[in-house]
Amino acid sequence: MEPGASSTDDYAEIIRKLPVYLKLAYGTGHVLNDICASMWFTYLLVFFHLVLGFDPTLAGVVLLIGQVADALVTPFVGFQSDRNDDFWLCRYGRRKTWHLLGTICVLLGFPFIFSQCIGCESAHQYAQLVYYAAFVVIFQFGWAAVQISHLALVPELTPAEHERTELIAIRFSFTVFSNVLVYCIMWGVLHVTSDKYDAQIGPGDIHKFQKVVLIGVIIGLVASIIFHVIVKESPNGNTNGSFLHRNTRTASVLLRDARLYQVACVYMLTRLFINLCQIYMPLYLHESLNMPATSLAYIPLTMYLSSFLTSLIIEKLNTKWGRKVAYSIGALFAICACIWIQFGNGNIYTKYQIYAVAMLLGSAGAIMLVTSLGVTSDLIGKNTESGAFAYGIMSFTDKLSNGLVVMLIQYLINI
């Protein structure tokens, strides 16, 4: 070694390949969030507008409150999650501590959103709005804490790009599984309890939504327990004993990096496309195509089955052709689906073509989301000390834009 050279020049970084069981256990850590998000984005407007009878604009306000709360919380959670505190609870692991706190908040807040206003069923809608807003804020705080801490574990689990992409793909596969599960449960509940095949959603269906939420929350709780038992995190942020050489980059340095805003823009537009499809597909089926209530389950189910099948090849797609080509393929699928929706009509469209549209939307969302998350992971690189904050910024742009766009659409609908 040359005189004056740093001893770290002799440092040999050992990268351990993650075992399969650990990768799968990591995927279970976001199942509760995914189940709740599926209900939130797919059925919130349906529930508040068609079941509770809320004005379309007020229904949009409920979603806006949640998205704004989430947007404001995510950078805070990200910043705090990156800190190494000596507080006794943080010895459980800085990421897993926030994950646990978030899980508790989700369990306490979410079930009340898809229920009647307890003790105020007959109150004015504005009074009920205050009631629901409280639980929405609790839920969104918890959801953000789980999301950011879970994503921030990816760069800490492995420094290898292909393994990070694989972890994100596994995470997305569990997301798809969770959504498929919700739609299967919803289809089962609606199908079994409906007197007529062509019955549509109405005020009498409130208990059906409660059953779906209860089943989903129980399954999500079990998955969260599996995650916390199997995935270990030491107090200094090294996960499962892996020792990685880290660079230190503070949040202020990250905010001065122009690439952060480029990646945030890509992620924001990706989530905007996926969430708007998820939010308005049920209303499109119910009000524009006049399809039966069960279609609100099996068409979204088709979307997510397509997403799941696509997720199996995304890692290879990114590795072989690169992130730009992979993302472009997803964007092309999305454009084709949107054009088809614009011009699709008639019995053939509602009976057959709508399934092809759903498959295109599902595949497009899967490719673009996994790829955009992979780009975010690349941006973080070895700078895992600011990893959660980076994901927090991504989520901030995502949630705020979604809330504002949905509110605008709901306002235009009500004109």
Side-chain angles (χ1 to χ4, degrees):
M1 183 173 70
E2 295 181 5
S6 172
S7 60
T8 57
D9 292 341
D10 290 336
Y11 175 77
E13 183 174 73
I14 300 175
I15 300 175
R16 299 176 182 175
K17 188 172 182 180
L18 298 176
V20 175
Y21 79 88
L22 181 59
K23 295 176 183 177
L24 295 176
Y26 169 78
T28 64
H30 208 254
V31 168
L32 176 61
N33 258 25
D34 291 330
I35 289 173
C36 293
S38 179
M39 289 293 299
W40 172 265
F41 285 115
T42 308
Y43 298 117
L44 184 80
L45 294 184
V46 172
F47 180 76
F48 274 84
H49 180 46
L50 301 179
V51 178
L52 295 182
F54 269 47
D55 178 83
T57 303
L58 281 182
V61 169
V62 175
L63 192 140
L64 177 63
I65 291 171
Q67 296 305 101
V68 171
D70 196 342
L72 295 176
V73 165
T74 45
F76 168 78
V77 171
F79 181 78
Q80 293 296 324
S81 177
D82 285 330
R83 295 180 60 184
N84 287 316
D85 293 326
D86 294 328
F87 184 59
W88 66 270
L89 183 59
C90 295
R91 295 172 188 171
Y92 181 58
R94 56 180 180 170
R95 310 301 188 197
K96 288 182 65 180
T97 298
W98 279 98
H99 189 285
L100 179 61
L101 175 63
T103 300
I104 293 172
C105 290
V106 169
L107 293 172
L108 292 177
F110 188 71
F112 291 95
I113 298 174
F114 284 88
S115 301
Q116 282 184 321
C117 184
I118 300 175
C120 52
E121 297 91 341
S122 303
H124 193 276
Q125 288 186 0
Y126 285 102
Q128 294 188 49
L129 179 64
V130 175
Y131 169 88
Y132 285 111
F135 289 108
V136 165
V137 171
I138 294 172
F139 160 64
Q140 290 292 357
F141 173 83
W143 200 96
V146 171
Q147 180 202 30
I148 298 304
S149 58
H150 192 255
L151 280 171
L153 276 173
V154 173
E156 296 198 2
L157 280 167
T158 176
E161 180 181 321
H162 72 280
E163 279 207 319
R164 289 181 176 183
T165 303
E166 186 179 2
L167 280 174
I168 294 171
I170 289 173
R171 182 181 188 271
F172 184 77
S173 296
F174 274 94
T175 297
V176 173
F177 167 77
S178 302
N179 280 270
V180 168
L181 181 65
V182 168
Y183 299 139
C184 286
I185 296 171
M186 180 63 76
W187 178 83
V189 171
L190 292 175
H191 181 72
V192 171
T193 57
S194 295
D195 297 329
K196 299 179 181 179
Y197 169 76
D198 57 351
Q200 293 192 308
I201 297 294
D205 294 319
I206 188 167
H207 298 297
K208 299 176 184 178
F209 282 88
Q210 290 175 324
K211 289 177 183 177
V212 175
V213 168
L214 179 61
I215 295 171
V217 166
I218 291 174
I219 294 172
L221 175 60
V222 173
S224 297
I225 292 173
I226 293 173
F227 167 78
H228 279 275
V229 169
I230 296 180
V231 178
K232 307 296 182 183
E233 182 189 9
S234 61
N236 63 2
N238 291 332
T239 311
N240 292 287
S242 60
F243 182 72
L244 304 176
H245 180 63
R246 287 175 168 79
N247 299 324
T248 301
R249 178 174 58 182
T250 63
S252 60
V253 173
L254 181 64
L255 288 172
R256 292 195 296 269
D257 190 341
R259 294 176 301 165
L260 173 69
Y261 303 98
Q262 295 172 348
V263 174
C265 184
V266 172
Y267 181 76
M268 177 191 72
L269 294 174
T270 300
R271 292 298 312 188
L272 192 60
F273 169 78
I274 294 172
N275 291 342
L276 289 180
C277 288
Q278 196 170 3
I279 291 169
Y280 286 105
M281 178 58 77
L283 291 174
Y284 171 67
L285 298 171
H286 187 276
E287 298 187 352
S288 298
L289 301 183
N290 294 315
M291 296 182 70
T294 50
S295 69
L296 275 64
Y298 60 71
I299 297 299
L301 175 61
T302 302
M303 289 174 57
Y304 276 91
L305 285 175
S306 176
S307 295
F308 174 73
L309 294 176
T310 305
S311 69
L312 300 177
I313 63 169
I314 294 177
E315 191 270 334
K316 292 182 175 61
L317 193 64
N318 275 261
T319 302
K320 185 174 182 178
W321 289 347
R323 303 219 189 273
K324 288 185 179 179
V325 174
Y327 192 90
S328 298
I329 292 172
L332 180 62
F333 285 177
I335 292 171
C336 291
C338 291
I339 293 174
W340 204 339
I341 289 174
Q342 176 64 31
F343 296 103
N345 59 73
N347 289 333
I348 294 178
Y349 177 73
T350 56
K351 287 184 178 180
Y352 305 107
Q353 294 179 8
I354 190 66
Y355 292 97
V357 171
M359 292 174 66
L360 278 175
L361 290 173
S363 296
I367 295 172
M368 291 193 297
L369 181 58
V370 172
T371 304
S372 63
L373 285 172
V375 172
T376 306
S377 183
D378 294 343
L379 173 68
I380 295 170
K382 292 183 179 180
N383 299 286
T384 59
E385 297 304 316
S386 58
F389 183 72
Y391 282 115
I393 294 297
M394 301 298 134
S395 189
F396 172 81
T397 60
D398 153 34
K399 300 304 188 302
L400 191 59
S401 63
N402 273 276
L404 293 175
V405 171
V406 169
M407 189 64 220
L408 176 61
I409 293 173
Q410 290 300 107
Y411 172 76
L412 294 175
I413 290 174
N414 206 33
I415 293 179

